[in-house]
Each structure stands twice: as C-alpha cells, then as structure tokens.
Amino acid sequence: MTEGRVNESNGCGFGRRIQYERRADEPPSIATALALAQYYGDDVTAASTQLYDYIDPEALDSLFAETNRGGSRATGTVEFEIEDAVVAVRHDRIEVRPSG
C-alpha cells in the first residue's frame, strides 16, 4: 500500500483536521481512503467508513486522471460529506475536517 504524508492539526480526537499529501502515482481514491482511515483512527483494510458508500472511487480517479493530451488536471476540488466529516480532494492532497 502506498503512503503519502499525513499532517494533523487542531489537537486530537474527532475535532482534528487531516491533510494527506498524495503522491503523483497514487490514485485519489486510495489517498482518500487512507486519509479517512487516519481521520477516524481505523486500519484502512478494516475501516468502518467505506468510500464507495459515499462516492464512486472510479469516477473520483477519472476526475483527476491525465487529459487526452497527456497533461494533468492540476486545478479543481471535489468536496463531499461523509458521516460527520467534510472531505476535500485536490490533485495533490486530501483534506478531512469536521462538518458544521
């Protein structure tokens, strides 16, 4: 399993923010699952929150895939809510923060 760099802020518990810096060769869906597991304190292979219950992982990956001309999509954000958290996916990082 690939691992990006995780930064935590705002103390511990569910009030914290997670910022996961995605490697260029790592699919956004995998990076998002890893960031969510870190946020909820779960093992990613046994995570209680399943990404596909909230967003289509293949569609998420395709939004950040290379263009037909070989360039990357370096702009744009996909944001959605999962349970009590907001997930923001960008081309280079995933951020998870408490909702509300």
Side-chain angles (χ1 to χ4, degrees), residues 21-81:
E21 295 181 22
R22 183 173 76 88
R23 293 186 350 207
D25 64 341
E26 183 176 41
S29 61
I30 298 296
T32 302
L34 290 168
L36 284 167
Q38 179 70 28
Y39 182 79
Y40 287 111
D42 289 338
D43 178 340
V44 73
T45 59
S48 58
T49 301
Q50 300 297 320
L51 183 61
Y52 58 79
D53 288 337
Y54 299 91
I55 192 167
D56 181 340
E58 290 179 11
L60 181 63
D61 291 344
S62 70
L63 289 171
F64 293 96
E66 288 188 4
T67 64
N68 291 340
R69 297 182 181 179
S72 65
R73 295 183 178 137
T75 60
T77 302
V78 174
E79 190 169 289
F80 58 97
E81 287 192 37

